[in-house]
Amino acid sequence: MDKKRREFLKQYTGWGVTVVVVSALVLLIFFCIYRAAALKELIGGLIGILMPVIYGLVIAYLLSPIYNYLRKNVLRLLRERLRWTDHRVEVTATAVAMFLTFAIMFAILAGLLVLLIPRLIDSITGIIATFPTTVNTMSMYMQQIFGNHSQLEGPAIALYQQIYDYLQNWVQNDVIPQFQHMFSYFTDIVRNTVLLLKNLVIGIVVAVYILANKTKFASVAKKTVYAVFGVKVGNVIMENIRFADSAFGGFLGGKIVDSAIIGLISGVCLSIMNMPYVPILAVVIGLTNIIPFFGPFIGAVPCAVLILLVSPIKMLYFIIFIIVLQQFDGNILGPKILGKTTGVSSFGVLFSILLFGGLFGFVGMIIGVPLFAVIRHILSYFMRDSLVRKNLPLDAESYENLDHFDADNQPVPFIEEEEPASGAVEEEHSGTEE
């Protein structure tokens, strides 16, 4: 009797706990929906406070492959050449690898700044200086077109008048009043710049601390996972974390290298083609190439408009060059560097960029593909586990022409009913009439 009572209490206690947990989750969801604005403000404030830590995590994650490689080789050098075996080996290898990692990072950033900033300043100065001449050239070019095609002059003048009226209203109603608040905008820019630099400096310190203690952090995280979720669920979580690390690390690292190469190729080829504003064009093309699928179009549009102000023919050559370059990147260079780091199809890439780009903006467009790959991997695991427990086939081919499963869980194919021949139909009708 006591045993049955214990089983009864255990069963209904489990049901009661389940009801309480589900009710709490439902109430939490309704609260989040009802107080969405306040919750969004709270999350935004929390992210702002933790921004240095976020910068540090991102910097540490991006530098982790370089740090691991250097530390492993320094350890091997100390043990084989200097015959060190005590605790000095670990401490020295960590310090040397840390110093070399950040020295490489600062050297690359300094080199890029020294090479690009003067050229970018020259290009921007040239755009400002030649803008009136460019406008006059475009006006003469349009007059020449209208002289040869007089039927286009009327619609073009009407369109020009509409654009002129719009710009005039925009300047009078928007631009000029904004100059009254220019000082506040300037102070906001200065304050945001100082805040960004402060977060970056603190983020670098955080990144140093994370890299130096990442083995300890990883051990504590693994112990926590297995303590909370147990061995079976913990193994699943660790497998998905390893996949996420592979997807994000392989994709982001490969995409950065790929975009740097594309930017370098663009700079060289555009210089040979005698294009204007080559540094700006190469930087824009390289940076926007980080975004999969839409990146080439996002970068090519402003660059093409900028070249159009100088020469319409060169703009046409530039568009052809971008098409050829992106074909080379999409079919040769990109697959060589990225390989199959995510395994996401073309539709999946498009869907993930649209979804996460709409949710998280520019950052979402960059991390959308590996994030979608991780979510798909997790869902695939649960789907596979559910099919195994239901004793159903795992391969997709078994469901291609499936009608239903029989009592033994064997697939029964769908068979289309054949339409009766016309002669048979006529005979059936004639028999009916008789």
Side-chain angles (χ1 to χ4, degrees):
M1 186 69 182
D2 293 338
K3 184 177 180 181
K4 291 183 178 180
R5 184 177 180 182
R6 284 197 301 270
E7 291 179 353
F8 176 83
L9 290 175
K10 183 178 179 181
Q11 179 182 359
Y12 282 93
T13 301
W15 278 105
V17 172
T18 303
V19 170
V20 170
V21 171
V22 171
S23 301
L25 289 176
V26 171
L27 290 175
L28 180 62
I29 292 172
F30 275 108
F31 176 79
C32 293
I33 295 174
Y34 180 71
R35 308 287 293 181
L39 185 64
K40 183 178 180 181
E41 184 178 356
L42 176 64
I43 294 174
L46 184 62
I47 290 176
I49 295 172
L50 297 177
M51 192 56 70
V53 179
I54 296 173
Y55 283 171
L57 290 171
V58 173
I59 293 172
Y61 186 76
L62 293 177
L63 295 180
S64 183
I66 301 175
Y67 171 78
N68 292 338
Y69 175 80
L70 292 173
R71 188 174 185 277
K72 183 178 70 174
N73 285 275
V74 171
L75 274 174
R76 183 167 53 84
L77 179 64
L78 293 176
R79 287 169 178 168
E80 293 180 358
R81 298 294 179 89
L82 301 181
R83 305 295 181 183
W84 288 7
T85 55
D86 54 4
H87 70 282
R88 293 180 303 169
V89 177
E90 300 288 338
V91 175
T92 305
T94 300
V96 173
M98 191 77 65
F99 173 78
L100 293 177
T101 299
F102 282 92
I104 292 172
M105 183 189 76
F106 287 123
I108 292 174
L109 292 177
L112 290 175
L113 293 176
V114 170
L115 290 174
L116 292 177
I117 285 185
R119 294 179 177 272
L120 290 175
I121 293 175
D122 293 340
S123 298
I124 295 172
T125 306
I127 292 172
I128 297 174
T130 59
F131 185 75
T133 305
T134 302
V135 172
N136 292 332
T137 304
M138 290 295 297
S139 299
M140 294 175 61
Y141 181 74
M142 296 301 293
Q143 289 176 5
Q144 182 180 0
I145 293 177
F146 294 147
N148 298 330
H149 303 83
S150 57
Q151 66 274 15
L152 299 176
E153 186 173 0
I157 291 176
L159 179 62
Y160 171 80
Q161 188 63 40
Q162 292 178 2
I163 295 174
Y164 177 79
D165 293 338
Y166 173 79
L167 291 177
Q168 187 177 19
N169 294 329
W170 175 65
V171 170
Q172 292 178 352
N173 299 326
D174 294 334
V175 176
I176 294 177
Q178 296 300 328
F179 276 103
Q180 300 174 1
H181 307 284
M182 185 63 70
F183 180 75
S184 62
Y185 287 157
F186 179 75
T187 55
D188 289 342
I189 292 173
V190 173
R191 184 172 63 250
N192 291 333
T193 303
V194 172
L195 181 62
L196 175 64
L197 293 176
K198 184 202 77 172
N199 290 339
L200 283 176
V201 171
I202 300 176
I204 291 174
V205 176
V206 173
V208 172
Y209 186 77
I210 292 173
L211 287 175
N213 298 276
K214 66 174 191 169
T215 303
K216 184 186 299 183
F217 290 152
S219 302
V220 172
K222 291 177 184 177
K223 183 176 71 173
T224 304
V225 167
Y226 283 107
V228 173
F229 299 100
V231 175
K232 183 178 180 180
V233 179
N235 288 336
V236 174
I237 293 174
M238 294 306 301
E239 178 190 352
N240 285 286
I241 290 176
R242 282 190 291 269
F243 179 83
D245 176 62
S246 174
F248 275 91
F251 180 82
L252 295 178
K255 201 62 182 172
I256 290 173
V257 174
D258 174 66
S259 299
I261 295 174
I262 289 297
L264 182 62
I265 293 175
S266 300
V268 173
C269 294
L270 293 176
S271 298
I272 295 174
M273 297 167 64
N274 197 25
M275 290 287 178
Y277 318 124
V278 171
I280 291 180
L281 301 181
V283 170
V284 171
I285 292 171
L287 288 177
T288 55
N289 193 72
I290 298 177
I291 302 174
F293 196 83
F294 291 109
F297 304 102
I298 296 174
V301 170
C303 293
V305 172
L306 196 61
I307 298 174
L308 176 64
L309 298 176
V310 177
S311 173
I313 300 300
K314 287 188 176 182
M315 184 199 71
L316 179 61
Y317 293 156
F318 172 77
I319 293 175
I320 296 173
F321 166 73
I322 288 295
I323 293 173
V324 174
L325 180 66
Q326 294 308 320
Q327 290 297 316
F328 165 75
D329 181 38
N331 297 311
I332 299 176
L333 181 63
K336 287 289 184 182
I337 296 176
L338 296 174
K340 296 182 178 180
T341 54
T342 59
V344 179
S345 63
S346 300
F347 175 77
V349 171
L350 177 62
F351 176 80
S352 60
I353 293 173
L354 291 174
L355 175 61
F356 295 108
L359 292 175
F360 307 114
F362 181 76
V363 176
M365 297 180 76
I366 296 177
I367 67 172
V369 175
L371 184 58
F372 180 79
V374 172
I375 295 174
R376 191 192 66 169
H377 180 77
I378 295 173
L379 294 178
S380 298
Y381 171 81
F382 286 109
M383 183 184 298
R384 185 171 60 251
D385 182 67
S386 178
L387 291 174
V388 169
R389 284 189 282 104
K390 294 178 174 63
N391 196 22
L392 295 173
L394 301 178
D395 56 304
E397 290 78 8
S398 300
Y399 300 87
E400 285 183 357
N401 195 32
L402 177 68
D403 183 74
H404 64 278
F405 286 97
D406 59 15
D408 298 326
N409 286 349
Q410 296 300 317
V412 177
F414 176 76
I415 301 176
E416 295 183 0
E417 297 181 358
E418 296 183 358
E419 295 183 359
S422 58
V425 175
E426 292 177 356
E427 291 179 0
E428 183 180 351
H429 282 296
S430 62
T432 305
E433 292 175 356
E434 291 177 358

